[in-house]
């Protein structure tokens, strides 16, 4: 009989060891907020260093009716050795569970700054449990948190590792609208052993992981089976989300005059956080969010240094593009190991589902006299924002590849002049235009651009504009100089009001590049709008210029229907371009005579 009992106990022990730790822990009883009285005392649990759980004292001071974003809040005073060491309730303690008579009351969530840091607010556990019943449809709608009078949420520190000083500054600037303040921290010790999450454990909400990490640090409030509650207040209050849940390591807790705060870093990914609401955050263990995998390779041509990074970025309509672009800048900054001028060649490829064509590719060159790294990320940020925040349909980004080569050399060239080899040409024929460009501190060189005259081009002079791909077209520049409304320029060629997603993507991919020489027809109707004065042919009579502009503007508006009808047949502006090894600036014009039969010499 004794032997049989021993076998039963052994079998039970083996069974318990095989269960997840969250199933072995006995779920505590819940104390409803209506049963809590002033003067009751209890304990709280948190981690202030490493991964060790520690306890602190809690005394109830009162119940604040309907003062929280989800209902009542419990006013408490904390005490004990832990609180003395931390200087009070610290940032990062958000979510620390509070127990009275062994029953779970709620999570530390709010406190005062510049006053008694030992007094704070607790979010009742009853409000937090409701998060598990919320729908999980991944709704990215931004919401704003209801303020708690005279109190502020225990700010959730945003811990960043792997970022350079300049990249961290950019990230801080980009995240200001979200009231997030990133702080650079190190990585967890390589020999640290993380235990399963339990009430009081440090927990991470991670937005970027891989060769860099960006995430928020807080405390676990409650674990039931594979479900987790934490923070006791919102992160961004975005509702249904999909962020990484990680364990976390706390380096130390720093005392501060305004607020104390924990300094820590993200650990291993252990699940997904799928709810971010007024009462806290919630998620599941052993489930993981869908992510955007990004590979970035940067080469500094001057030093031969190559920096390679692979990261996973969470899918979020407001944050994904910012996090991706700042990570790209971080890799560039580390590869260059300097700040200042330079030239960069950038190419990227973005693949995804539910997007036109399934893939976006773009190549371009950039030069900056101040900070080439910042300028180099511009179009990539624009592309990611265009896709993740598009007004047409959700896009599922599957893969992103970025390649950058950078050097300190200034690779720019200015258009000096342009000439046609043939003064007269038939409609539909090609005309070769010799374009002389002068590289910075270099000798002038010649490039040939072939341009095809439209088949329906009427006889007479045809003015062609020759410009760098990154230059503002002449007509727009003239309008700006004359103080004219930009909308007037669209009268003859208005943008579609109901543009399709495919058209937006196509325009982005086919946009002129900075290292191109572009030849296009200068709209004579718009040229006449400005008159000879605008083109610099009558500089001494400003009053006459203004009068001509006004008269021609009225004329253009009157004839708008005819212009629109004509433009619909054109199907876009006629132009051609060639690619060079320089960023091209400057512009000029050439005139060819369109005839039915070329004049023979």
């Amino acid at each position: 009989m004794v032997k049989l009992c021993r076998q039963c106990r052994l079998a039970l022990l083996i069974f318990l060891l095989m269960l997840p730790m969250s199933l072995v822990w006995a779920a505590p009883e819940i104390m409803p907020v209506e049963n809590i009285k002033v003067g009751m005392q209890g304990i709280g649990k948190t981690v202030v260093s490493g991964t060790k759980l520690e306890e602190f004292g809690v005394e109830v001071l009162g119940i604040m009716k309907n003062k929280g974003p989800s209902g009542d809040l419990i006013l408490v005073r904390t005490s004990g050795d832990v609180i003395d060491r931390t200087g009070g309730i610290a940032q990062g303690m958000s979510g620390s569970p509070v127990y009275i008579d062994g029953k779970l009351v709620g999570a530390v969530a709010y406190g005062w700054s510049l006053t008694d840091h030992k007094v704070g607010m607790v979010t009742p556990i009853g409000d937090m449990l409701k998060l598990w019943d919320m729908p999980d449809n991944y709704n990215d709608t931004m919401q704003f948190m209801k303020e708690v009078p005279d109190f502020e949420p225990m700010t959730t520190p945003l811990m960043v590792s792997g970022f350079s000083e300049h990249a961290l500054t950019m990230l801080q600037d980009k995240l200001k609208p979200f009231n997030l303040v990133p702080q650079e921290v190190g990585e967890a010790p390589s020999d640290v052993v993380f235990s399963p999450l339990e009430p009081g454990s440090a927990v991470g909400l991670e937005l970027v992981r891989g060769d860099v990490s960006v995430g928020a640090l807080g405390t676990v409030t409650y674990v039931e089976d594979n479900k987790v509650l934490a923070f006791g207040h919102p992160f961004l209050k975005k509702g249904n989300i999909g962020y990484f849940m990680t364990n976390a390591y706390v380096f130390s807790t720093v005392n501060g005059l305004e607020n104390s705060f924990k300094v820590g870093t993200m650990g291993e990914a252990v699940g997904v956080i799928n709810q971010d609401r007024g009462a806290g955050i919630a998620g599941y263990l052993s489930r993981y969010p869908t992510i955007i995998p990004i590979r970035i390779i940067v080469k500094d041509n001057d030093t031969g240094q190559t920096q390679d990074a692979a990261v996973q970025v969470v899918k979020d309509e407001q944050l994904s593009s910012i996090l991706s672009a700042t990570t790209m800048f971080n890799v560039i900054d580390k590869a260059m190991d300097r700040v200042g001028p330079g030239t960069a060649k950038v190419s990227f490829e973005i693949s995804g589902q539910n997007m036109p064509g399934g893939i976006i590719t773009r190549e371009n060159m950039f030069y900056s006299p101040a900070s080439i790294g910042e300028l180099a990320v511009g179009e990539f940020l624009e592309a990611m924002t265009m896709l993740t925040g598009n007004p047409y349909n959700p896009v599922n980004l599957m893969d992103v590849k970025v390649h950058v080569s950078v050097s300190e050399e200034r690779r720019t060239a200015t258009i000096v002049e342009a000439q046609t080899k043939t003064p007269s040409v038939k409609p539909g024929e090609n005309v070769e235009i010799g374009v002389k460009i002068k590289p910075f501190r270099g000798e002038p060189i010649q490039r040939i651009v072939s341009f095809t005259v439209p088949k329906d081009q009427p006889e007479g002079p045809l003015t062609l504009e020759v410009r760098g791909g990154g230059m503002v077209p002449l007509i727009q520049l003239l309008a700006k100089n004359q103080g004219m409304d930009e909308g007037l320029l669209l009268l003859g060629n208005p943008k579609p009001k109901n543009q399709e997603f495919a058209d937006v993507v196509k325009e982005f991919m086919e946009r002129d590049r900075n290292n191109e020489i572009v030849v296009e027809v200068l709209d004579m109707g718009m040229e006449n709008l400005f008159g000879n004065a605008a083109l610099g042919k009558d500089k001494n009579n400003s009053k006459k210029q203004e009068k001509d502009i006004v008269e021609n503007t009225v004329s253009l508006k009157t004839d708008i229907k005819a212009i629109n009808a004509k433009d619909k047949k054109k199907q876009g502006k006629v132009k051609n371009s060639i690619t060079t090894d320089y960023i091209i600036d400057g512009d000029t014009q050439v005139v060819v005579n369109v005839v039915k039969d070329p004049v023979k010499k």
Side-chain angles (χ1 to χ4, degrees):
M1 182 68 179
V2 174
K3 183 177 180 181
L4 180 61
C5 290
R6 288 178 178 174
Q7 290 176 341
C8 291
R9 286 198 298 269
L10 180 60
L12 178 61
L13 178 61
I14 294 173
F15 173 73
L16 291 175
L17 289 174
M18 292 176 65
L19 288 174
M21 287 299 294
S22 59
L23 296 179
V24 176
W25 297 323
E29 291 186 57
I30 303 299
M31 180 176 287
V33 68
E34 55 266 22
N35 292 350
I36 299 172
K37 308 298 181 185
V38 175
M40 282 185 167
Q41 296 186 355
I43 62 167
K45 294 183 179 181
T46 196
V47 175
V48 295
S49 180
T51 59
K52 179 184 176 182
L53 279 176
E54 298 188 62
E55 295 183 357
F56 56 91
V58 177
E59 179 184 358
V60 177
L61 301 180
I63 306 298
M64 312 294 285
K65 291 292 185 181
N66 295 315
K67 293 297 184 181
S70 298
D72 299 340
L73 291 176
I74 306 164
L75 182 64
V76 300
R77 181 184 299 279
T78 58
S79 61
D81 176 64
V82 169
I83 298 301
D84 291 339
R85 282 155 45 205
T86 60
I89 300 173
Q91 297 175 6
M93 288 179 66
S94 303
S96 297
V98 174
Y99 302 88
I100 295 178
D101 296 333
K103 298 179 181 180
L104 181 59
V105 171
V108 173
Y110 299 89
W112 272 299
S113 61
L114 298 174
T115 183
D116 189 350
H117 296 168
K118 295 183 179 181
V119 176
M121 290 277 206
V122 171
T123 298
I125 187 62
D127 291 333
M128 297 183 69
L129 289 171
K130 296 175 184 177
L131 298 179
W132 286 337
D133 298 325
M134 293 291 180
D136 191 6
N137 299 320
Y138 207 141
N139 175 19
D140 283 322
T141 303
M142 188 70 175
Q143 303 179 45
F144 295 93
M145 187 171 60
K146 175 183 174 183
E147 295 295 332
V148 182
D150 300 324
F151 276 80
E152 60 182 36
M154 295 310 301
T155 305
T156 306
L158 198 62
M159 303 299 173
V160 177
S161 63
F163 270 59
S164 67
E165 179 183 353
H166 298 104
L168 181 63
T169 300
M170 174 182 281
L171 185 63
Q172 290 170 341
D173 182 64
K174 297 293 185 183
L175 293 180
K176 278 183 181 179
F178 300 92
N179 293 320
L180 296 175
V181 183
Q183 303 172 11
E184 177 67 24
V185 297
E187 297 181 357
S190 58
D191 59 348
V192 66
V193 177
F194 291 104
S195 300
L197 292 182
E198 61 178 298
S201 295
V203 65
L205 176 156
E206 197 167 29
L207 305 173
V208 182
R209 66 181 287 106
D211 289 327
V212 300
S213 173
V214 178
L217 189 67
T219 304
V220 175
T221 305
Y222 183 50
V223 179
E224 181 181 302
D225 297 331
N226 69 329
K227 298 182 292 185
V228 178
L229 295 174
F231 282 25
H233 64 67
F235 172 58
L236 292 173
K237 204 175 183 183
K238 299 192 74 171
N240 191 197
I241 56 173
Y243 299 161
F244 286 105
M245 181 193 299
T246 75
N247 42 38
Y249 182 86
V250 180
F251 294 110
S252 180
T253 303
V254 181
N255 293 342
L257 178 62
E258 183 174 355
N259 269 316
S260 301
F261 58 94
K262 291 183 182 181
V263 178
T265 189
M266 308 302 109
E268 303 163 347
V270 296
V272 60
I273 293 171
N274 71 324
Q275 299 294 339
D276 174 21
R277 301 184 185 272
I281 64 172
Y284 294 90
L285 297 169
S286 301
R287 299 183 189 177
Y288 300 92
T290 55
I291 50 87
I292 305 172
I294 302 178
R295 178 76 179 273
I296 304 167
I297 300 175
V298 179
K299 181 178 180 180
D300 187 324
N301 294 329
D302 298 326
T303 64
Q305 173 75 20
T306 297
Q307 194 79 19
D308 189 340
V311 297
Q312 297 175 331
V313 177
V314 298
K315 294 185 177 180
D316 183 288
E317 290 188 1
Q318 290 82 29
L319 295 176
S320 293
S321 57
I322 294 173
L323 297 170
S324 301
T326 51
T327 300
M328 174 183 170
F329 173 71
N330 179 62
V331 182
I332 295 174
D333 192 57
K334 286 191 170 184
M336 291 174 54
D337 194 24
R338 66 176 181 85
V339 177
T343 301
K345 290 185 178 181
V346 179
S347 65
F348 56 84
E349 179 181 289
I350 304 173
S351 305
Q353 297 175 332
N354 302 322
M355 55 183 275
I359 187 169
I360 284 181
T361 58
R362 178 72 176 168
E363 295 182 5
N364 210 342
M365 281 183 70
F366 303 92
Y367 170 76
S368 171
S371 177
I372 182 56
E374 292 185 29
L375 186 62
V377 304
E379 279 194 342
F380 177 66
L381 173 60
E382 181 184 356
M384 291 293 290
T385 302
M386 174 183 68
L387 294 174
T388 59
N390 80 82
Y392 304 97
N393 57 260
V395 170
N396 183 24
L397 298 185
M398 307 293 291
D399 187 49
V400 178
K401 298 183 180 71
V402 181
H403 292 265
V404 181
S405 63
V406 63
S407 68
E408 195 169 357
E409 180 185 8
R410 177 173 174 173
R411 299 283 297 176
T412 64
T414 302
I415 294 176
V416 177
E417 64 178 10
Q419 295 180 343
T420 59
K421 293 187 176 182
T422 306
S424 299
V425 64
K426 284 183 177 181
E429 287 187 341
N430 290 336
V431 56
E432 290 189 346
I433 301 171
V435 183
K436 182 185 291 186
I437 61 175
K438 185 183 183 305
F440 178 73
R441 293 178 179 172
E443 296 298 322
I445 55 179
Q446 187 90 352
R447 291 289 184 267
I448 303 298
V449 184
S450 180
F451 179 81
T452 302
V453 177
K455 292 183 178 181
D456 59 351
Q457 183 67 35
E459 289 185 282
L462 173 63
T463 303
L464 301 177
E465 182 179 4
V466 182
R467 60 176 175 84
M471 296 293 295
V472 177
L474 176 63
I475 292 299
Q476 293 183 21
L477 186 61
L478 290 173
K480 183 177 180 181
N481 290 340
Q482 294 290 344
M484 294 179 60
D485 185 355
E486 183 182 355
L488 181 60
L489 298 177
L490 303 178
L491 289 175
N493 189 21
K495 289 186 177 181
K497 291 183 178 180
N498 300 315
Q499 199 171 21
E500 298 292 335
F501 193 10
D503 295 329
V504 174
V505 172
K506 182 180 179 182
E507 280 186 10
F508 176 82
M509 292 178 62
E510 296 181 355
R511 179 191 301 168
D512 298 333
R513 293 181 289 174
N514 298 328
N515 57 326
E516 290 179 333
I517 298 175
V518 179
V519 176
E520 62 186 354
V521 175
L522 183 63
D523 193 323
M524 295 306 293
M526 296 304 294
E527 179 184 349
N528 291 334
L529 168 63
F530 295 97
N532 292 335
L535 294 176
K537 299 177 183 178
D538 189 7
K539 298 180 180 179
N540 298 321
N541 193 345
S542 59
K543 291 185 178 180
K544 184 177 184 300
Q545 293 175 15
E546 294 177 4
K547 182 180 179 182
D548 289 344
I549 291 173
V550 172
E551 291 177 352
N552 285 312
T553 300
V554 174
S555 175
L556 181 62
K557 288 182 177 179
T558 303
D559 201 29
I560 188 64
K561 292 183 179 180
I563 294 175
N564 283 340
K566 181 180 178 181
D567 281 345
K568 286 181 181 179
K569 297 179 181 179
K570 286 186 178 181
Q571 298 296 325
K573 201 168 187 178
V574 180
K575 66 179 178 181
N576 197 14
S577 63
I578 62 169
T579 302
T580 74
D581 293 327
Y582 300 92
I583 293 109
I584 305 296
D585 62 18
D587 69 315
T588 188
Q589 295 80 42
V590 295
V591 179
V592 294
N593 190 36
V594 179
V595 295
K596 289 185 178 180
D597 296 307
V599 178
K600 296 182 180 180
K601 294 184 178 180

